[in-house]
Amino acid sequence: AFARRLKQVGLDNGIHCNQSHAPFPTRCEAIRSHYKRAIECTAEAGGKICIIHPDNNKSAEENAEIYFELLPFAKDCRVKIATENMWNWKEGDAYSSFAACSTSESFCRHLEAVNDDFFVACLDIGHAAMQGSGSGAVNMIHALGDKLQALHIHDCDRHYDSHQIPFSMNVDFEAVVKALKEIRY
């Protein structure tokens, strides 16, 4: 009922829901019990994609098991599941470090491990720009191609996950937009 009310508030103001974000971090078993509810609420709100983070420290094959469990329910709800590029931070390090989907290669391996039209990519532009973990938004856009179906757009200082308004920090949004046009996003 709450998701339907939110949908109506949005529609009354010319806003359409296109995606939602499930609770995280995925490594917490208790949070995983809420994923089906997140998918259901996405459908009720009119969304077409529910972003569900991979477990940062699991392989593509290990993360695929989480998604395989959810895909039949997501298909019944007509909602795609998107995985997102992540990052880790180790105590004492000066920069972020590798996590699931943080490089183009890892992201593509995750998509290939599930290999389903209802499993797509959400590219977090700020995460992709972080030194130490990402391979850059432009590289990732080209690597993901038509599997890229959702974006989290924010700026960062290329060091921290700053979540600032675009064009306020160090992400090259002109190059990002150019790459998105090149893949016909």
Side-chain angles (χ1 to χ4, degrees), residues 15-35:
I15 300 168
H16 297 270
C17 174
N18 67 339
Q19 63 179 272
S20 71
H21 203 299
F24 62 93
T26 301
R27 71 179 175 274
C28 296
E29 291 289 330
I31 284 176
R32 290 187 198 168
S33 67
H34 298 284
Y35 286 167

Side-chain angles (χ1 to χ4, degrees), residues 51-180:
I51 290 88
I52 299 178
H53 284 187
D55 184 318
N56 284 14
N57 302 311
K58 301 274 186 191
S59 69
E61 293 73 26
E62 291 169 313
N63 276 315
E65 294 305 315
I66 297 166
Y67 299 121
F68 285 139
E69 287 179 29
L70 297 169
L71 276 169
F73 184 78
K75 289 177 181 182
D76 286 346
C77 292
R78 302 177 61 95
V79 171
K80 293 179 181 182
I81 296 172
T83 190
E84 180 181 340
N85 53 315
M86 301 307 299
W87 54 273
N88 277 320
W89 200 282
K90 295 178 183 157
E91 191 67 35
D93 282 359
Y95 296 102
S96 63
S97 57
F98 178 83
C101 300
S102 66
T103 64
S104 300
E105 296 79 18
S106 176
F107 214 143
C108 289
R109 275 196 306 275
H110 276 75
L111 293 168
E112 291 165 4
V114 175
N115 193 25
D116 193 289
D117 289 341
F118 268 75
F119 187 66
V120 298
C122 172
L123 180 63
D124 186 302
I125 302 298
H127 293 178
M130 291 173 67
Q131 293 175 349
S133 60
S135 55
V138 171
N139 290 334
M140 294 183 96
I141 289 166
H142 286 119
L144 296 170
D146 64 356
K147 290 298 255 181
L148 178 58
Q149 296 185 20
L151 297 171
H152 286 171
I153 302 172
H154 61 96
D155 215 333
C156 71
D157 63 2
R158 303 203 52 209
H159 186 75
Y160 296 106
D161 188 23
S162 312
H163 282 266
Q164 297 299 309
I165 191 166
F167 301 100
S168 67
M169 295 191 99
N170 296 325
V171 171
D172 183 355
F173 280 100
E174 289 182 25
V176 168
V177 170
K178 181 177 184 257
L180 290 169

